[in-house]
Amino acid sequence: REHSVFELTDALIAGRREAALQVLNRLLDDGEEPVRILAMVSWVIRQMITARDLAGRGCPERELLQQLGGRWEQRRRVLKKAAAADLGALEGLLVACSRSDATVKMQRGAGSRGALEGLCRRVCAA
């Protein structure tokens, strides 16, 4: 495979919409399961919510980074993106993940692709 879901999550965290959509579509074209992709996108959003919540409670950065999962450099980028995002918007993204989950599981093909593309656009814009 040319691309991995980790490239997708990196692009989402960086807010690089075009790169995220390109990687997403290549993953789908290569046969990656839409449910697995959605799980990774949801994980990124939960990480941002956790980072935003802990930072809002005054958690020291080192401890906060230890609470997050993933690669260390990615944790720092998650923290930076979360700090700039509105908590309500992040929670809205989690709701969008839930809606996308239903679409991905009930519709195959173009329906799944469209739901994932829309979700990726929203995450990049957050």
Side-chain angles (χ1 to χ4, degrees):
R1 289 194 171 154
E2 282 187 44
H3 296 281
S4 74
V5 291
F6 300 110
E7 288 177 85
L8 176 60
T9 58
D10 287 345
L12 292 173
I13 293 166
R16 297 184 350 252
R17 186 184 75 190
E18 293 305 317
L21 293 175
Q22 181 181 34
V23 172
L24 169 67
N25 282 301
R26 285 196 180 153
L27 287 169
L28 291 170
D29 291 344
D30 287 346
E32 186 66 65
E33 286 294 321
V35 172
R36 183 168 182 259
I37 294 170
L38 179 59
M40 290 302 289
V41 174
S42 300
W43 178 82
V44 166
I45 294 166
R46 287 191 309 274
Q47 292 290 76
M48 287 191 290
I49 291 170
T50 298
R52 184 81 164 94
D53 180 55
L54 291 174
R57 294 179 191 202
C59 183
E61 184 174 320
R62 183 170 173 81
E63 184 179 330
L64 192 155
L65 291 172
Q66 288 175 338
Q67 295 294 318
L68 298 177
R71 300 176 321 258
W72 277 100
E73 189 53 42
Q74 186 182 54
R75 293 176 194 200
R76 286 178 173 54
R77 290 191 301 262
V78 165
L79 178 57
K80 182 178 178 183
K81 184 166 177 93
D86 175 67
L87 184 57
L90 293 175
E91 290 169 344
L93 286 174
L94 201 54
V95 171
C97 281
S98 178
R99 289 185 182 131
S100 295
D101 183 66
T103 301
V104 164
K105 289 178 179 172
M106 290 193 294
Q107 297 180 13
R108 302 282 184 209
S112 292
R113 187 177 299 258
L116 290 170
E117 286 179 353
L119 184 59
C120 286
R121 282 187 181 95
R122 288 186 64 180
V123 173
C124 288

